[in-house]
Amino acid sequence: MLAEIAATPLQFDTPLAGELFLLGRIVFGATLAFMGLNHFMDLETMAGYAEFKGLPAPQFSVIASGAVLVLGGLGVAAGAFPVVAAGGLALFLLVSAVTMHDFWSMDDPEEKQNEMTSFLKNVYGAGAALALLAVGGTAWPYAVGLGLF
């Protein structure tokens, strides 16, 4: 039975499926793109936090991660280069969850809770990006249709 499910192609022929998929992409992608813009609008503060967390080249790291979030988020929302966009977001979210939100090393309960919340946010975002990556090679409804695959 599992083999049958895995072999079933992605279909958007149920009522509103394509529209809901588009809405989900927009909500997910636009939220991440907005978060990426914050990397540029609050560069000094975020670079200071990255330095505090021990990241090498903190300012470059913040700029690069902001670019991944903006471009990946817009790519998912628009359906442009979906494999690259979703893959980049998934990788960034997983790596940043572990490197930036290490709640397990915090002593202060409030700081630990804040880091755990951010860690979990990144992990569930990575899960959504991985789900989009899994269907990135299929035709997405209401997409601009640019892609490598």
Side-chain angles (χ1 to χ4, degrees):
M1 172 118 173
L2 187 57
E4 290 178 29
I5 293 172
T8 304
L10 185 63
Q11 298 176 0
F12 292 100
D13 55 0
T14 57
L16 299 177
E19 290 79 7
L20 290 172
F21 188 68
L22 172 63
L23 180 60
R25 288 181 6 230
I26 291 171
V27 169
F28 179 69
T31 300
L32 291 174
F34 179 76
M35 290 170 60
L37 284 178
N38 190 49
H39 285 214
F40 299 107
M41 296 185 307
D42 199 11
L43 181 59
E44 281 187 40
T45 303
M46 295 192 88
Y49 186 69
E51 185 175 25
F52 169 74
K53 288 293 191 169
L55 258 64
Q59 189 164 0
F60 173 77
S61 297
V62 171
I63 291 170
S65 61
V68 168
L69 287 168
V70 170
L71 295 174
L74 292 176
V76 163
F81 302 100
V83 171
V84 175
L89 289 171
L91 181 64
F92 165 75
L93 289 166
L94 287 172
V95 169
S96 66
V98 175
T99 58
M100 298 299 292
H101 305 299
D102 53 344
F103 66 91
W104 52 89
S105 68
M106 302 292 138
D107 293 326
D108 177 54
E110 186 175 335
E111 190 177 346
K112 184 177 200 129
Q113 182 61 54
N114 288 338
E115 291 295 347
M116 183 186 294
T117 299
S118 294
F119 175 86
L120 293 172
K121 175 191 71 170
N122 281 22
V123 169
Y124 79 71
L130 287 170
L132 289 168
L133 176 59
V135 297
T138 64
W140 287 5
Y142 306 107
V144 295
L146 297 173
L148 300 176
F149 307 100

